[in-house]
Amino acid sequence: MNCEVNWLHQCCLNRNTAASPRQLVLKFGCSRNQRRCNCTTALPDPSLADLSPCFAVVAFHLGPWCPLTRMRLLSPPTLQPLWGWRSRSERSPGSPHLPPLGSASPMELSPAVGGRGEAGLYSTSRHWAELCGAGGPAWRAALALPCLPSSSCFETFETFQVPSFASEIFVSFQFRCFELETWLKRNTQQNFAQPYQISGCTSLIPEAKAVLDLVDTCPKHPKKGDFPVIVIEGLDATGKTTVTQSLKESLNAILLRSPPACISQWRKTFDDKPNHIRRAFYALGNYLVALEIAKASIESPVIVDRYWHSTAAYAIATEISGKVQNLPPEHHEVYQWPEDLLKPDLVLLLTVSPEERIRRLKGRGLEKTKEETELEANSLFREKVEEAYKRMENPECQEVDANPSREEVLKTILQLIKNHCSS
Ligand SMILES: Nc1ncnc2c1ncn2[C@@H]1O[C@H](COP(=O)(O)OP(=O)(O)OP(=O)(O)O)[C@@H](O)[C@H]1O
Ligand SMILES: Nc1ccn([C@H]2C[C@H](O)[C@@H](COP(=O)(O)O)O2)c(=O)n1
C-alpha cells in the first residue's frame, strides 16, 4: 500500500494565503538605527511548502567595509550564507540561525551594518534531513563558498543586489512560485511529493523499510466487521488509557491502539525524525491498526486508543504557527477522514480543564515525550490540537467532559455508546 501523506501538505497552509496567492516574498532591509539587517520571509502559497525539502537558501553577500565604523567586515570570501529555510516544522540540528519558516527574525548581521549585499535563492537536490543527518553543520559546509555556484548540491535560482543600509529602504523580492517550482523541478528532477512519503527515506532510516514492508502486506480497504468500533481521543493525560481499559472490561471488547504493537519498537526512532517523516510513521500506523480493527470487529466490540484524528490534529497544530484563528477554516480538507482508511463507528474526544490535566500529569509522573513537554509548556499548542480535533468531520469527534471521576466518565461514555451503536 502506498500510503501517501500528501494531505499533510495542506497543513502547511500559511496565514497569508488569501493575500498573495502565488508569491514568495523575501524582504531585506537595513536600518541605520538598529544597526542590523533584517530578512523577512513569507511563504504565502501552501503548494510552495512542497518545495521545502529542496529548500531554498538566501545567501548574503557582505561588502568589505562598514561605512559607519569604517571597520573591515568579514575577510574574503565574503559571501556568507546566513539564511535557509525549510518546512516550518523541521528544526535544524546545529543551526540556530534558521528560524521557522514564515517567521520574521533579524539576520545575524549586526557587525555587517551597511554592507552591500546580494541575496540569492538556491536549491538543493538533496533532502534537508539528509543534509542534517550527517550531524548538523553539514548543511553549512555544503553551503560554504566556493561550493555554492559549482556545487552539485546547490544551484542558483536567482540573485539580487541588496542596497546598502544608507538607503534605509526595504526591498522585496517576489518570486513567482510557478517559475520557481518549474525551475526547481527542471534542475533537481525532484518529485516534490516524494520526501513526504516514508518511502523517500528508506535509505536514511532503515526502519522505514520495515514499516513499509509491513504495510505492503496489508490488504487494501479492509472491511469492518459487524461489531462497533469506538475510538477514544484526547490530549495526553485526559484519561484515555483509563477509559479504554474500563471499556474493554465493561463491553468485553478488544482493545487496540495506534500505532499498533507491531511497529511500536520503531516509534522512538521516528519520534526523533523531522516532523513529516514522523507523521508518515504515525499515518502508516493507522493503516496497520485498521487491519487489526477489521479482524477484531468480526468477533467483538473494538476500542481503539487514538487513531487517525490524533495524527491529523497534532500535525495540524504543529504546522500552523501562531493563533488558533490561523487554523485552516472549518470543513477544510485537512479535517476530512482519508478515503482509504477504515472508519470507526464512534469517536469520543475526552476533554479536561488545563488545571485537571496538569494535576493528572503530575500524578502520573512518567517520562515525558518532546511533544508532551511542548504541550505542557505551550497552552496555545494544546488549544490548537483540541480545536483541530473539534473540527474533524466524517466521522466527527463527540466531546466528552472527562473532568468528573473515573466512574462518572465511564458511565457517560457507556451511555453514549449505547445511544449511538444501538440505533
Ligand atoms: N476521571 C479521572 N479522574 C481522576 N484521575 C484520572 C481520571 N482518569 C484518569 N486519571 C488519572 O490521570 C492520569 C492520566 O490518565 P491516563 O493515563 O488514562 O491518560 P491518557 O489520556 O491515556 O494519557 P496518555 O495519552 O499520555 O497516555 C493517570 O494517573 C490516571 O490514573
Ligand atoms: N495515531 C496516532 C497516535 C499518536 N500520534 C502522536 C500524537 C502525539 O504526538 C503522540 C501521542 O501519543 P501517546 O503519547 O498518547 O501515545 O503520538 C499520532 O500522531 N497518531
Side-chain angles (χ1 to χ4, degrees), residues 103-153:
S103 78
S105 133
M107 284 174 83
E108 295 200 342
L109 285 180
S110 317
V113 174
R116 255 178 210 285
E118 190 176 280
L121 192 60
Y122 303 91
S123 84
T124 166
S125 52
R126 287 160 62 191
H127 188 251
W128 171 255
E130 195 184 341
L131 284 173
C132 291
W139 73 273
R140 276 174 173 277
L143 279 178
L145 261 188
C147 97
L148 251 181
S150 58
S151 160
S152 59
C153 190

Side-chain angles (χ1 to χ4, degrees), residues 262-276:
C262 60
I263 56 166
S264 57
Q265 80 253 40
W266 297 305
R267 194 169 174 180
K268 174 81 184 68
T269 305
F270 284 95
D271 273 347
D272 292 339
K273 298 293 169 211
N275 280 337
H276 57 276

Side-chain angles (χ1 to χ4, degrees), residues 235-242 306 356 360 364 372 402 404-406 409:
L235 290 169
D236 49 303
T238 46
K240 294 182 299 301
T241 309
T242 310
R306 291 197 189 273
E356 177 62 15
R360 291 184 191 181
R364 190 169 59 172
E372 278 173 346
S405 69
R406 293 172 180 78
V409 174

Side-chain angles (χ1 to χ4, degrees), residues 232-244 257 305-306 314 350 352 356-357 359-366 372 402-410:
I232 306 295
E233 291 284 3
L235 290 169
D236 49 303
T238 46
K240 294 182 299 301
T241 309
T242 310
V243 162
T244 50
R257 73 182 331 257
D305 187 343
R306 291 197 189 273
Y314 282 79
L350 307 189
V352 296
E356 177 62 15
R357 226 187 105 258
R359 255 196 303 280
R360 291 184 191 181
L361 274 171
K362 281 196 179 134
R364 190 169 59 172
L366 294 177
E372 278 173 346
N403 286 295
S405 69
R406 293 172 180 78
E407 297 71 26
E408 278 176 82
V409 174
L410 179 63

Side-chain angles (χ1 to χ4, degrees), residues 184-262:
L184 280 171
K185 276 186 180 152
R186 202 179 54 237
N187 285 281
T188 64
Q189 278 113 43
Q190 280 255 6
N191 165 10
F192 297 113
Q194 192 64 20
Y196 286 85
Q197 295 174 0
I198 207 168
S199 54
C201 57
T202 47
S203 60
L204 300 169
I205 313 164
E207 290 84 351
K209 183 165 178 344
V211 174
L212 284 173
D213 286 349
L214 268 174
V215 177
D216 280 340
T217 62
C218 292
K220 286 183 184 163
H221 305 293
K223 292 245 171 344
K224 195 179 85 57
D226 288 338
F227 283 91
V229 175
I230 297 124
V231 175
I232 306 295
E233 291 284 3
L235 290 169
D236 49 303
T238 46
K240 294 182 299 301
T241 309
T242 310
V243 162
T244 50
Q245 277 296 344
S246 310
L247 286 176
K248 176 185 165 170
E249 285 150 30
S250 311
L251 301 174
N252 198 16
I254 294 175
L255 175 55
L256 299 172
R257 73 182 331 257
S258 174
C262 60

Side-chain angles (χ1 to χ4, degrees), residues 312-358:
Y314 282 79
I316 294 165
T318 307
E319 290 303 331
I320 302 299
S321 57
K323 303 177 286 207
V324 177
Q325 285 86 329
N326 296 342
L327 289 174
E330 283 177 45
H331 313 303
H332 190 277
E333 81 182 282
V334 291
Y335 304 123
Q336 310 303 318
W337 191 265
E339 275 172 21
D340 59 349
L341 183 63
L342 187 148
K343 264 187 202 174
D345 296 287
L346 180 63
V347 184
L348 298 174
L349 172 66
L350 307 189
T351 58
V352 296
S353 67
E355 299 76 29
E356 177 62 15
R357 226 187 105 258
I358 288 169

